[in-house]
Structures are given as structure tokens and as C-alpha cells.
Amino acid sequence: MRTYLRLLWTFFRISILGELAYRASFWLQIAESLIDLGTALAFVSVVFSSTRALNGWSADELLTLIGVYFLIGGTINMIIMPGMNRLIEQVRQGTLDYVLTRPADAQLLVSIQQIDVWKLLDVVLGMALLVGAMLWHGGLPGPFQLLAFALTLLAGAVIIYSFVLFLATLSFWYVRMENILVIFESMYEAGRWPVDIYPGWLRAILTFVVPVAFAVTVPAEALTARLTWLVLAGTLLLAALALLASRLFWRFAIRYYSGASA
Amino acid sequence: MTAATAVNVTHLRKVYRVYEREAGLGAALRALFRRQMQEIVGVDNLTFTIEAGEIIGFLGPNGAGKTTTLKMLAGLLYPSAGDVRVLGYVPWRRERAFLRQIALVMGQRQQLIWDIPVIDSFELNRAIYRIPPAQYRHMLDELADLLDLAPLLHKPVRNLSLGERMKCEIAGSLLHRPQVLFLDEPTIGLDIVMQRRIRDFIREYNHRTGATVLLTSHYMADVEALCRRVILIHHGTMLFDGDLTRLVERFSPYKTIIVRLQEPADLRPYGEVLSQNEDQVSLRVPKSAVARITARLLTDLPVLDLSVEDPPIEAVIEQIFTQEEVV
């Protein structure tokens, strides 16, 4: 575990050094993040100019949700997505062979192999939003809520990670999978609203097909004290199952890649 | 298997299953639902042993099965049948202890990261292989010295020429001081000077570390310079395993007689004239007839000088592969 953290840190350090050479992308990212944030906030203010609550969510609670959206989205886009996009590229070019000859866990290596440092900005914005929402709400959430929040946040990230890994791993069979990651990214945008405002069929999709609900809505519910024990336990269980399933699928895919199965 | 054996392969076979479809839109649409599968034999019934410290050349035309063999030895492909041991390990299990002792370099596929300086990619390998700092510095110095890397290390990979990049690719793969090297066409696309440079380096590395080197190359010069022993693969099967010199003896039914005469003469009755300039003539004659024809030349003509040579290895190998193609 410590080795992998050190490995992650090495990737991170190298990415920072590499990215510092491209100052333009820093400013671009600032612009992008601010536009994203501005759009999200504008929608919220429009909605709340005509109503006091959206399906039971008050303005400050919705701000919390947007904070979580940025926090999780930033993390995924910083660490997971670049690595997965590169994995698809590696499968196509045959350079995955190099990853497989390394004396380290291949799944872990591909997951952290590329880091988009500037997405850290989204993470920071997300945290700032969360703090802002808390101040506006007036008062810190209780220790139980904070713990539930931390747990569901982690679980949400794990669920999304497992899901994206699953999609990227499909590239072992279907060589062109970049598009499916783009589809995922646009589905994730639906997560900036609580899933219970959507009609039933869409809510079902966002919960079980593209598990955005678990990544964004559930942690926000935890922080705004509307999470039930059942949902908390279910989320944690689902995260564990998703991680296991994606791991098994990855290993199956590697066996297929080396011609050991199918 | 003795301690000195690095690679042990018995009756190795690899069958690929590939989907194929006929040309045309209709076939393409049908293939969306039902795909035709075909089995292709990559390599079949390979058996050989390599001693630690040897440099072995794998020769064969494109698609002969060289890369397939290397990949099975490196643990990337699962054999369909037969047994492989490298340093006593079963490669496809990809145990850490095994992976730590091997390195794979593919001339056509790049592993350094495009946008970052070379030294950072090296740093990543250091972290992945968990090379102790002192050993890393020592190895880096040694490699930088042997390959003249100092001016390249801090440049991003995309700014390097192909030759410079190849030097860095190789150096990056050796930082953990592997015991077995798999080099798949390491000199492809390089100019003559750089090819020689890489070749010298491989020899030097082998010399210094006693590492076993398995090399495939299209350039005969690589193999002639580095390998005493070669394994010839064609259509997935082994045609030859042994000394390079014996390869020629075995496969070329001809020898070349070079004679220098006092005055020009027509030598066509003695054999096939390969070249003739002024008083020097090269004759191709069947190996079995060399003694007889030499004797006749010496008695019939005013010979100043006469020598018998093997044809160039490159020509012999080309001949083997083209003959096989016809059969």
C-alpha cells in the first residue's frame, strides 16, 4: 500500500513538473472551471428565484450538492479518466505489453498512470463550495454526518471508478471505446442536480446504469442529514461489490488479452 | 534444469483465434452479429534451451512467429501447449520476482512518455521497480556513459530523434539491471551508425552483467555482430538452431570459388559465373563438386590465385525463406 501511494506521488510529481511547462493549459483550466461553476450557480439562482425548495432541497443544500459534484468530478477527471483514456490507447497500440511486464499491479498502474494536474482546481472549488454552503446554512454538520459524508464520498468515487474501469476494459474486445467515456462524461453532468428531481426512468438509469446518483446525490444527502441507514449501508455494499466486480472483469480481460481464456 | 540455464522451451505452441470477415458492406453487417472465427498457428513445436549469458538471434521473415515466441517468454502470451521456463519461472504467471529480472524492448513500440523529459520516465521506472537510490544512480551513470545520454536526459521525449529515443528506451528498460533481455527489432529504422552503436552497447551490457539476450532483427548485421547462435523460425516452426557458421554449411548447397587468372578465359563450363572483372572471376559451384572443379581449374588454366568461400549469410537466409515460400 505504501509503495502504491509513493508510486501515485511519483506520477503526481512528474505530472506537475510536466504540466508546469504548459502555462496556457493552467489558464484554460481556470477558465473552464469558472465557466462550469458559473453555469451551475446561475441555474441554481434561476431556480430559486421562483421557488424556495426544489423537491425538498433548499438553496444551500443544492450548493452542497454542486460542491460534491465538483469534488468527485475533479477527482475522477484528475486521476481516473486520463489513465483510462490512455489505457484504451495502449490497448490499440500494443504498448499495454509494457505495463504488463512491470512488477506491480497492472490495474493499479493503468489507473494512476496519467494525472491531469489542473483538475485539482475543480477539487479545490468543490471544497470551497462545500465550506460556503455550510457557512450559509449556519453551522457545521454533526460528527455522524461528517463521517457518513466521508464514507459515501469514498464509496461514490469507488463506484464511479469501477464503472469507468469496466467501460475502458471493454476496449480489449472493442478497440474503439473513447466515445463511450465521452458518453459517461456527459451523463455525469446530470449529477449536478439531485437525482430525485428526474422522472423515474431517468432516475433509475442514473442510479443503476450510470451510477451518478451514488457519486453525487448520496454524499450530498449524507451532508444534509437526509441519508437513511439503509442507503448508507447499501452504498457501501455496492461500492465493495463494484470494486470486486471490476477487478474480476479486469483480470478476465487480461487473461483474454494474453490468450489464456476464451 | 541447471542453474546456468536461462530459458527452457519444450514443444511450445501458440494458436491464435482471429475473427475474420469477407469484404463488402453486407459481410460487415453480418459480422456485427455473427463473426467467423479462424485458428491460426503462431508457433508450433518449438524446443530449445538457452544458457545464461548467451546472445541468441531469432531470424525469420515477417509473421514467422518471432515476436509471438518472445512474448510467450516474457509472459505476455499464454502458450496453447508446451512448456516455457525462464530463470526457472513460468512466465505467464507474471510473478513479481520474475518480472523484476526481465526487460522487454520493442523497437516499434515506445514506452517512454511522450511529453515529459526522459529522466522523469526513468524516475517512474525507478519507483515501479523499487530500485534503491544508490543502485539507481550507479546504473543511470553507467548507462548514460555507455550510451552518451547526458545531453538527452532533460529533453522531452518528443524532441528526440528516433535514434536518440531508442537509446533512451533501451536505457530505461535496463535501470533495474535485468538478467534476461527480450529485444524485438531494437534497431529498426535506425541509421547504420546508430545501429552499430546500439549493437556495441548490447554486447557491452551482456559482457558486463552476464545477462542473457534474446534478439530479433531484420538486419543480418545485428545478428552477425552479436550472436554466435541463431534460431531460424519460419511459418511458426523451427528450421535451424545452432552456430551461424553451421547455418551456411547446412543450408547452402553452393560455394563460391574465386580465381585470379594470368589471362582472361571463359570459365562458364566450370560453373555459374557470378561476376567477372578483368582477371578475377567468381564461380558458384555445388558444394559436392568443389574439390573436383578446383582441381580441374588448376590443371586447365594459368591460375594465379584461388580461394573457396561460403556465400554471404544474408544470401543463404534469403534463399531458405524464399525456397520455403515456394514449397
Side-chain angles (χ1 to χ4, degrees):
Chain A
M1 190 65 201
R2 260 186 57 201
T3 319
Y4 287 124
L5 284 177
R6 190 178 308 157
L7 209 55
L8 180 64
W9 169 240
T10 309
F11 277 112
F12 212 85
R13 197 164 46 86
I14 285 169
S15 303
I16 294 175
L17 292 175
E19 283 296 325
L20 285 178
Y22 305 97
R23 280 186 313 171
S25 32
F26 170 66
W27 294 109
L28 272 176
Q29 185 58 50
I30 286 194
E32 191 189 322
S33 297
L34 289 180
I35 290 170
D36 273 359
L37 178 68
T39 324
L41 294 182
F43 272 119
V44 172
S45 71
V46 167
V47 168
F48 284 94
S49 63
S50 54
T51 177
R52 290 185 54 81
L54 183 68
N55 237 19
W57 291 74
S58 66
D60 62 302
E61 288 170 338
L62 210 57
L63 210 58
T64 305
L65 184 103
I66 293 173
V68 176
Y69 170 81
F70 270 87
L71 187 60
I72 291 271
T75 309
I76 299 283
N77 286 328
M78 176 168 65
I79 301 177
I80 307 301
M81 288 308 238
M84 292 297 121
N85 277 313
R86 183 137 157 240
L87 167 64
I88 291 169
E89 191 74 17
Q90 284 166 327
V91 172
R92 194 171 50 202
Q93 296 187 344
T95 46
L96 186 70
D97 287 351
Y98 287 126
V99 179
L100 297 179
T101 57
R102 304 282 183 243
D105 188 83
Q107 181 189 339
L108 205 119
L109 277 186
V110 300
S111 302
I112 62 173
Q113 63 182 338
Q114 192 155 357
I115 289 163
D116 188 350
V117 179
W118 301 130
K119 296 292 179 201
L120 197 58
L121 208 62
D122 280 349
V123 176
V124 172
L125 275 181
M127 289 197 217
L129 275 177
L130 285 177
V131 172
M134 258 182 268
L135 293 177
W136 185 11
H137 184 75
L140 278 172
F144 171 73
Q145 282 171 22
L146 278 178
L147 180 68
F149 174 65
L151 284 176
T152 47
L153 203 59
L154 185 68
V158 165
I159 290 169
I160 294 283
Y161 162 70
S162 307
F163 183 70
V164 176
L165 177 69
F166 174 83
L167 292 183
T169 306
L170 286 174
S171 64
F172 285 80
W173 289 270
Y174 307 97
V175 172
R176 283 155 67 175
M177 290 300 289
E178 302 97 329
N179 295 334
I180 205 155
L181 291 190
V182 174
I183 293 175
F184 167 77
E185 278 169 0
S186 48
M187 292 296 275
Y188 181 75
E189 293 203 354
R192 64 170 68 168
W193 300 100
V195 287
D196 42 24
I197 68 161
Y198 294 112
W201 60 272
L202 188 55
R203 197 186 321 154
I205 289 179
L206 289 176
T207 309
F208 297 110
V209 184
V210 188
V212 172
F214 290 102
V216 185
T217 307
V218 170
E221 282 175 347
L223 206 55
T224 55
R226 58 183 77 207
L227 193 67
T228 63
W229 278 104
L230 197 64
V231 176
L232 175 62
T235 303
L236 295 180
L237 185 68
L238 187 74
L241 286 178
L243 194 61
L244 183 69
S246 68
R247 175 86 182 158
L248 290 176
F249 185 59
W250 165 263
R251 291 172 73 148
F252 174 70
I254 292 291
R255 292 222 321 268
Y256 169 81
Y257 183 80
S258 62
S261 77
Chain B
M1 167 157 190
T2 64
T5 307
V7 177
N8 205 340
V9 171
T10 37
H11 303 300
L12 185 62
R13 175 183 168 87
K14 178 71 195 175
V15 178
Y16 290 107
R17 289 177 173 184
V18 292
Y19 294 105
E20 58 170 34
R21 62 162 206 248
E22 291 150 41
L25 186 62
L29 288 175
R30 247 175 289 133
L32 283 178
F33 302 101
R34 169 174 278 166
R35 297 195 285 182
Q36 291 287 325
M37 208 170 59
Q38 217 199 13
E39 292 204 333
I40 290 179
V41 178
V43 298
D44 198 12
N45 203 20
L46 292 185
T47 299
F48 57 86
T49 309
I50 298 172
E51 302 302 316
E54 269 192 281
I55 306 184
I56 299 278
F58 281 83
L59 295 174
N62 287 328
K66 295 171 306 217
T67 304
T68 301
T69 309
L70 277 199
K71 281 188 170 184
M72 278 193 278
L73 292 174
L76 292 169
L77 284 179
Y78 185 91
S80 307
D83 192 52
V84 193
R85 293 294 160 95
V86 177
L87 300 171
Y89 294 94
V90 177
W92 59 263
R93 290 200 188 124
R94 286 204 290 273
E95 291 162 72
R96 305 270 158 92
F98 165 68
L99 296 175
R100 227 182 275 286
Q101 296 181 63
I102 64 158
L104 170 71
V105 177
M106 296 180 278
Q108 314 234 51
R109 291 172 187 176
Q110 160 189 343
Q111 55 185 323
L112 298 172
I113 300 171
W114 192 244
D115 277 325
I116 66 175
V118 177
I119 190 77
D120 287 341
S121 278
F122 286 7
E123 191 67 25
L124 269 181
N125 279 359
R126 186 186 71 73
I128 291 170
Y129 284 94
R130 289 192 247 166
I131 308 167
Q135 189 193 325
Y136 172 74
R137 259 192 310 278
H138 176 76
M139 202 62 195
L140 183 61
D141 287 347
E142 197 173 335
L143 291 168
D145 183 42
L146 280 172
L147 285 167
D148 257 336
L149 297 182
L152 311 178
L153 287 177
H154 294 278
K155 288 187 190 172
V157 175
R158 66 186 140 78
N159 292 351
L160 302 180
S161 72
L162 182 61
E164 291 171 335
R165 205 165 78 208
M166 206 55 223
K167 288 202 294 186
C168 296
E169 290 275 345
I170 292 178
S173 315
L174 298 180
L175 290 167
H176 60 289
R177 219 180 165 88
Q179 278 305 298
V180 180
L181 259 64
F182 301 102
L183 306 176
D184 194 13
E185 298 179 20
T187 56
I188 198 158
L190 303 183
D191 63 43
I192 303 284
V193 179
M194 193 56 86
Q195 281 181 26
R196 187 172 306 140
R197 195 70 206 277
I198 300 277
R199 227 176 271 152
D200 291 345
F201 170 76
I202 294 169
R203 193 187 302 110
E204 181 64 28
Y205 182 84
N206 164 266
H207 198 70
R208 285 193 189 190
T209 63
T212 312
V213 181
L214 287 81
L215 169 90
T216 77
S217 179
H218 282 304
Y219 302 117
M220 213 35 232
D222 284 348
V223 176
E224 278 190 85
L226 287 172
C227 316
R228 266 189 49 213
R229 179 178 160 201
V230 295
I231 290 177
L232 219 67
I233 302 180
H234 193 32
H235 295 317
T237 54
M238 194 149 84
L239 290 184
F240 177 82
D241 174 7
D243 270 20
L244 204 51
T245 45
R246 271 194 40 231
L247 174 81
V248 178
E249 269 169 43
R250 163 114 172 256
F251 283 95
S252 182
Y254 298 102
K255 287 212 178 223
T256 308
I257 300 178
I258 298 164
V259 274
R260 209 148 66 79
L261 301 168
Q262 236 159 21
E263 55 208 47
D266 182 14
L267 295 190
R268 270 174 294 178
Y270 298 90
E272 188 188 336
V273 177
L274 293 176
S275 69
Q276 176 155 25
N277 46 35
E278 300 189 13
D279 57 346
Q280 183 165 309
V281 185
S282 297
L283 278 181
R284 187 159 87 152
V285 299
K287 220 192 284 183
S288 54
V290 170
R292 193 164 41 82
I293 290 174
T294 311
R296 267 180 60 203
L297 282 168
L298 289 171
T299 48
D300 294 358
L301 298 162
V303 174
L304 285 179
D305 186 26
L306 183 146
S307 62
V308 179
E309 288 180 1
D310 281 321
I313 295 169
E314 201 147 10
V316 175
I317 287 174
E318 195 186 318
Q319 176 202 328
I320 299 169
F321 291 144
T322 46
Q323 273 177 2
E324 283 293 311
E325 225 67 74
V326 178
V327 173

Short mmCIF file of all heavy atoms in Angstrom, two decimals, chain B residues 167-204:
data_model
loop_
_atom_site.label_atom_id
_atom_site.label_comp_id
_atom_site.label_asym_id
_atom_site.label_seq_id
_atom_site.Cartn_x
_atom_site.Cartn_y
_atom_site.Cartn_z
N LYS B 167 17.93 4.92 -27.88
CA LYS B 167 18.94 4.78 -26.82
C LYS B 167 18.29 4.94 -25.45
O LYS B 167 18.58 4.19 -24.52
CB LYS B 167 20.03 5.85 -27.01
CG LYS B 167 20.94 5.58 -28.20
CD LYS B 167 22.28 6.30 -28.07
CE LYS B 167 22.14 7.81 -28.11
NZ LYS B 167 23.45 8.48 -28.13
N CYS B 168 17.41 5.93 -25.36
CA CYS B 168 16.75 6.17 -24.07
C CYS B 168 15.79 5.04 -23.71
O CYS B 168 15.68 4.65 -22.55
CB CYS B 168 16.01 7.50 -24.10
SG CYS B 168 17.10 8.90 -24.30
N GLU B 169 15.07 4.52 -24.72
CA GLU B 169 14.16 3.39 -24.47
C GLU B 169 14.95 2.23 -23.86
O GLU B 169 14.51 1.61 -22.90
CB GLU B 169 13.53 2.91 -25.78
CG GLU B 169 12.52 3.86 -26.40
CD GLU B 169 11.13 3.70 -25.83
OE1 GLU B 169 10.86 2.68 -25.17
OE2 GLU B 169 10.30 4.61 -26.04
N ILE B 170 16.08 1.94 -24.47
CA ILE B 170 16.86 0.80 -24.00
C ILE B 170 17.39 1.06 -22.60
O ILE B 170 17.27 0.23 -21.70
CB ILE B 170 17.99 0.49 -25.00
CG1 ILE B 170 17.38 -0.02 -26.30
CG2 ILE B 170 18.96 -0.54 -24.42
CD1 ILE B 170 18.38 -0.32 -27.39
N ALA B 171 17.94 2.25 -22.40
CA ALA B 171 18.49 2.57 -21.09
C ALA B 171 17.40 2.47 -20.02
O ALA B 171 17.61 1.89 -18.95
CB ALA B 171 19.09 3.97 -21.10
N GLY B 172 16.21 3.01 -20.33
CA GLY B 172 15.11 2.98 -19.37
C GLY B 172 14.71 1.57 -18.98
O GLY B 172 14.27 1.32 -17.86
N SER B 173 14.87 0.64 -19.93
CA SER B 173 14.47 -0.74 -19.65
C SER B 173 15.52 -1.50 -18.86
O SER B 173 15.29 -2.63 -18.46
CB SER B 173 14.23 -1.50 -20.96
OG SER B 173 13.50 -0.73 -21.84
N LEU B 174 16.70 -0.90 -18.72
CA LEU B 174 17.79 -1.65 -18.07
C LEU B 174 18.13 -1.13 -16.69
O LEU B 174 19.02 -1.65 -16.03
CB LEU B 174 19.04 -1.59 -18.95
CG LEU B 174 18.89 -2.21 -20.34
CD1 LEU B 174 20.17 -2.09 -21.12
CD2 LEU B 174 18.46 -3.66 -20.24
N LEU B 175 17.40 -0.11 -16.25
CA LEU B 175 17.73 0.51 -14.96
C LEU B 175 17.67 -0.49 -13.82
O LEU B 175 18.39 -0.36 -12.84
CB LEU B 175 16.77 1.67 -14.68
CG LEU B 175 16.95 2.89 -15.58
CD1 LEU B 175 15.77 3.83 -15.44
CD2 LEU B 175 18.25 3.61 -15.24
N HIS B 176 16.79 -1.47 -13.95
CA HIS B 176 16.66 -2.44 -12.86
C HIS B 176 17.62 -3.62 -13.06
O HIS B 176 17.50 -4.62 -12.38
CB HIS B 176 15.22 -2.90 -12.73
CG HIS B 176 14.67 -3.57 -13.96
ND1 HIS B 176 14.39 -2.88 -15.11
CD2 HIS B 176 14.34 -4.86 -14.21
CE1 HIS B 176 13.92 -3.72 -16.02
NE2 HIS B 176 13.89 -4.92 -15.51
N ARG B 177 18.53 -3.48 -14.00
CA ARG B 177 19.56 -4.48 -14.25
C ARG B 177 18.99 -5.87 -14.46
O ARG B 177 19.26 -6.81 -13.70
CB ARG B 177 20.52 -4.51 -13.04
CG ARG B 177 21.96 -4.67 -13.44
CD ARG B 177 22.84 -4.69 -12.20
NE ARG B 177 24.15 -5.19 -12.54
CZ ARG B 177 25.14 -4.42 -12.96
NH1 ARG B 177 24.98 -3.13 -13.06
NH2 ARG B 177 26.31 -4.96 -13.27
N PRO B 178 18.18 -6.01 -15.53
CA PRO B 178 17.54 -7.31 -15.77
C PRO B 178 18.54 -8.39 -16.16
O PRO B 178 19.59 -8.09 -16.73
CB PRO B 178 16.60 -7.01 -16.95
CG PRO B 178 17.21 -5.83 -17.62
CD PRO B 178 17.83 -5.02 -16.54
N GLN B 179 18.18 -9.62 -15.84
CA GLN B 179 19.03 -10.77 -16.16
C GLN B 179 18.72 -11.34 -17.54
O GLN B 179 19.54 -12.03 -18.12
CB GLN B 179 18.83 -11.87 -15.10
CG GLN B 179 19.63 -11.63 -13.86
CD GLN B 179 21.11 -11.47 -14.18
OE1 GLN B 179 21.74 -12.38 -14.70
NE2 GLN B 179 21.64 -10.28 -13.93
N VAL B 180 17.52 -11.10 -18.00
CA VAL B 180 17.14 -11.58 -19.33
C VAL B 180 16.54 -10.41 -20.11
O VAL B 180 15.64 -9.73 -19.63
CB VAL B 180 16.11 -12.73 -19.24
CG1 VAL B 180 15.74 -13.20 -20.64
CG2 VAL B 180 16.66 -13.89 -18.43
N LEU B 181 17.05 -10.22 -21.32
CA LEU B 181 16.58 -9.13 -22.17
C LEU B 181 15.87 -9.68 -23.39
O LEU B 181 16.42 -10.53 -24.09
CB LEU B 181 17.79 -8.34 -22.70
CG LEU B 181 18.15 -7.03 -22.07
CD1 LEU B 181 18.55 -7.26 -20.64
CD2 LEU B 181 19.28 -6.40 -22.85
N PHE B 182 14.68 -9.18 -23.65
CA PHE B 182 13.99 -9.54 -24.88
C PHE B 182 13.99 -8.31 -25.78
O PHE B 182 13.36 -7.30 -25.46
CB PHE B 182 12.56 -9.97 -24.59
CG PHE B 182 12.48 -11.15 -23.65
CD1 PHE B 182 12.16 -10.96 -22.32
CD2 PHE B 182 12.75 -12.43 -24.11
CE1 PHE B 182 12.09 -12.05 -21.45
CE2 PHE B 182 12.69 -13.51 -23.25
CZ PHE B 182 12.35 -13.32 -21.92
N LEU B 183 14.71 -8.38 -26.86
CA LEU B 183 14.81 -7.22 -27.74
C LEU B 183 14.15 -7.55 -29.07
O LEU B 183 14.64 -8.38 -29.83
CB LEU B 183 16.28 -6.86 -27.98
CG LEU B 183 17.14 -6.65 -26.74
CD1 LEU B 183 18.58 -6.40 -27.12
CD2 LEU B 183 16.60 -5.47 -25.94
N ASP B 184 13.02 -6.90 -29.32
CA ASP B 184 12.30 -7.18 -30.55
C ASP B 184 12.61 -6.05 -31.54
O ASP B 184 12.08 -4.96 -31.42
CB ASP B 184 10.79 -7.25 -30.26
CG ASP B 184 10.02 -7.86 -31.41
OD1 ASP B 184 10.65 -8.43 -32.32
OD2 ASP B 184 8.79 -7.76 -31.41
N GLU B 185 13.46 -6.35 -32.49
CA GLU B 185 13.88 -5.39 -33.50
C GLU B 185 14.30 -4.05 -32.91
O GLU B 185 13.72 -3.01 -33.22
CB GLU B 185 12.76 -5.19 -34.52
CG GLU B 185 12.46 -6.48 -35.22
CD GLU B 185 11.33 -6.34 -36.23
OE1 GLU B 185 11.05 -5.22 -36.63
OE2 GLU B 185 10.76 -7.38 -36.60
N PRO B 186 15.33 -4.08 -32.06
CA PRO B 186 15.72 -2.84 -31.38
C PRO B 186 16.36 -1.81 -32.29
O PRO B 186 16.45 -0.65 -31.92
CB PRO B 186 16.74 -3.32 -30.34
CG PRO B 186 17.29 -4.58 -30.91
CD PRO B 186 16.18 -5.21 -31.68
N THR B 187 16.79 -2.21 -33.48
CA THR B 187 17.48 -1.24 -34.33
C THR B 187 16.64 -0.83 -35.52
O THR B 187 17.15 -0.20 -36.44
CB THR B 187 18.81 -1.82 -34.86
OG1 THR B 187 18.51 -3.06 -35.54
CG2 THR B 187 19.78 -2.09 -33.74
N ILE B 188 15.36 -1.16 -35.49
CA ILE B 188 14.53 -0.90 -36.68
C ILE B 188 14.46 0.61 -36.98
O ILE B 188 14.30 1.43 -36.09
CB ILE B 188 13.13 -1.51 -36.50
CG1 ILE B 188 12.45 -1.63 -37.85
CG2 ILE B 188 12.27 -0.72 -35.54
CD1 ILE B 188 11.35 -2.66 -37.88
N GLY B 189 14.67 0.92 -38.24
CA GLY B 189 14.55 2.31 -38.66
C GLY B 189 15.74 3.20 -38.34
O GLY B 189 15.72 4.38 -38.65
N LEU B 190 16.76 2.63 -37.71
CA LEU B 190 17.90 3.48 -37.34
C LEU B 190 18.95 3.50 -38.45
O LEU B 190 19.05 2.57 -39.24
CB LEU B 190 18.54 2.94 -36.06
CG LEU B 190 17.62 2.80 -34.85
CD1 LEU B 190 18.41 2.33 -33.64
CD2 LEU B 190 16.95 4.14 -34.55
N ASP B 191 19.74 4.58 -38.49
CA ASP B 191 20.80 4.62 -39.49
C ASP B 191 21.94 3.69 -39.06
O ASP B 191 22.01 3.23 -37.92
CB ASP B 191 21.26 6.05 -39.75
CG ASP B 191 21.88 6.68 -38.52
OD1 ASP B 191 22.67 6.00 -37.84
OD2 ASP B 191 21.58 7.85 -38.24
N ILE B 192 22.85 3.48 -40.01
CA ILE B 192 23.92 2.49 -39.80
C ILE B 192 24.75 2.79 -38.55
O ILE B 192 25.05 1.91 -37.76
CB ILE B 192 24.87 2.47 -41.03
CG1 ILE B 192 24.08 2.17 -42.30
CG2 ILE B 192 25.99 1.49 -40.82
CD1 ILE B 192 23.70 0.74 -42.46
N VAL B 193 25.08 4.08 -38.38
CA VAL B 193 25.93 4.45 -37.25
C VAL B 193 25.22 4.13 -35.93
O VAL B 193 25.80 3.54 -35.01
CB VAL B 193 26.27 5.95 -37.30
CG1 VAL B 193 27.13 6.34 -36.12
CG2 VAL B 193 26.95 6.27 -38.62
N MET B 194 23.94 4.49 -35.87
CA MET B 194 23.19 4.25 -34.63
C MET B 194 22.96 2.76 -34.41
O MET B 194 23.02 2.29 -33.28
CB MET B 194 21.85 5.00 -34.71
CG MET B 194 21.14 5.10 -33.39
SD MET B 194 22.13 5.85 -32.08
CE MET B 194 21.82 7.59 -32.34
N GLN B 195 22.72 2.04 -35.51
CA GLN B 195 22.59 0.58 -35.37
C GLN B 195 23.82 -0.01 -34.71
O GLN B 195 23.73 -0.83 -33.81
CB GLN B 195 22.42 -0.07 -36.75
CG GLN B 195 21.02 0.04 -37.31
CD GLN B 195 20.92 -0.66 -38.66
OE1 GLN B 195 21.67 -1.57 -38.97
NE2 GLN B 195 19.98 -0.21 -39.48
N ARG B 196 24.98 0.44 -35.20
CA ARG B 196 26.22 -0.11 -34.66
C ARG B 196 26.37 0.27 -33.19
O ARG B 196 26.79 -0.52 -32.36
CB ARG B 196 27.41 0.40 -35.48
CG ARG B 196 28.70 -0.27 -35.08
CD ARG B 196 29.83 0.08 -36.00
NE ARG B 196 29.51 -0.19 -37.40
CZ ARG B 196 29.85 0.60 -38.41
NH1 ARG B 196 30.50 1.72 -38.17
NH2 ARG B 196 29.53 0.28 -39.65
N ARG B 197 25.98 1.49 -32.89
CA ARG B 197 26.06 2.00 -31.53
C ARG B 197 25.25 1.11 -30.57
O ARG B 197 25.70 0.69 -29.52
CB ARG B 197 25.48 3.41 -31.54
CG ARG B 197 25.78 4.23 -30.36
CD ARG B 197 27.24 4.59 -30.38
NE ARG B 197 27.70 4.83 -29.04
CZ ARG B 197 27.55 5.99 -28.42
NH1 ARG B 197 27.00 7.00 -29.02
NH2 ARG B 197 27.97 6.13 -27.19
N ILE B 198 24.01 0.84 -30.98
CA ILE B 198 23.12 0.02 -30.16
C ILE B 198 23.70 -1.39 -30.01
O ILE B 198 23.72 -1.97 -28.93
CB ILE B 198 21.71 -0.05 -30.81
CG1 ILE B 198 21.12 1.34 -30.96
CG2 ILE B 198 20.79 -0.99 -30.04
CD1 ILE B 198 20.44 1.89 -29.75
N ARG B 199 24.18 -1.91 -31.12
CA ARG B 199 24.78 -3.24 -31.14
C ARG B 199 25.94 -3.34 -30.15
O ARG B 199 26.01 -4.24 -29.34
CB ARG B 199 25.32 -3.45 -32.54
CG ARG B 199 24.99 -4.75 -33.17
CD ARG B 199 25.52 -4.73 -34.56
NE ARG B 199 24.57 -4.19 -35.52
CZ ARG B 199 24.91 -3.58 -36.65
NH1 ARG B 199 26.18 -3.38 -36.96
NH2 ARG B 199 23.98 -3.17 -37.46
N ASP B 200 26.84 -2.35 -30.25
CA ASP B 200 28.00 -2.35 -29.35
C ASP B 200 27.54 -2.31 -27.90
O ASP B 200 28.10 -2.98 -27.03
CB ASP B 200 28.90 -1.14 -29.62
CG ASP B 200 29.60 -1.26 -30.96
OD1 ASP B 200 29.60 -2.38 -31.52
OD2 ASP B 200 30.11 -0.24 -31.46
N PHE B 201 26.50 -1.52 -27.70
CA PHE B 201 26.02 -1.39 -26.33
C PHE B 201 25.45 -2.71 -25.81
O PHE B 201 25.72 -3.11 -24.68
CB PHE B 201 24.95 -0.30 -26.24
CG PHE B 201 24.27 -0.30 -24.90
CD1 PHE B 201 24.90 0.22 -23.80
CD2 PHE B 201 23.02 -0.89 -24.75
CE1 PHE B 201 24.31 0.18 -22.55
CE2 PHE B 201 22.41 -0.93 -23.52
CZ PHE B 201 23.06 -0.39 -22.42
N ILE B 202 24.68 -3.39 -26.64
CA ILE B 202 24.09 -4.66 -26.21
C ILE B 202 25.20 -5.65 -25.86
O ILE B 202 25.15 -6.34 -24.84
CB ILE B 202 23.17 -5.24 -27.32
CG1 ILE B 202 21.96 -4.33 -27.52
CG2 ILE B 202 22.72 -6.66 -26.97
CD1 ILE B 202 21.15 -4.66 -28.75
N ARG B 203 26.22 -5.67 -26.69
CA ARG B 203 27.34 -6.58 -26.42
C ARG B 203 28.00 -6.22 -25.09
O ARG B 203 28.30 -7.08 -24.28
CB ARG B 203 28.36 -6.52 -27.56
CG ARG B 203 29.36 -7.68 -27.47
CD ARG B 203 30.49 -7.58 -28.48
NE ARG B 203 30.04 -7.51 -29.85
CZ ARG B 203 30.13 -6.44 -30.62
NH1 ARG B 203 30.66 -5.32 -30.14
NH2 ARG B 203 29.70 -6.45 -31.86
N GLU B 204 28.19 -4.92 -24.89
CA GLU B 204 28.85 -4.46 -23.68
C GLU B 204 28.01 -4.79 -22.44
O GLU B 204 28.54 -5.25 -21.42
CB GLU B 204 29.09 -2.95 -23.78
CG GLU B 204 29.81 -2.32 -22.61
CD GLU B 204 31.23 -2.85 -22.44
OE1 GLU B 204 31.83 -3.27 -23.45
OE2 GLU B 204 31.72 -2.87 -21.29
#
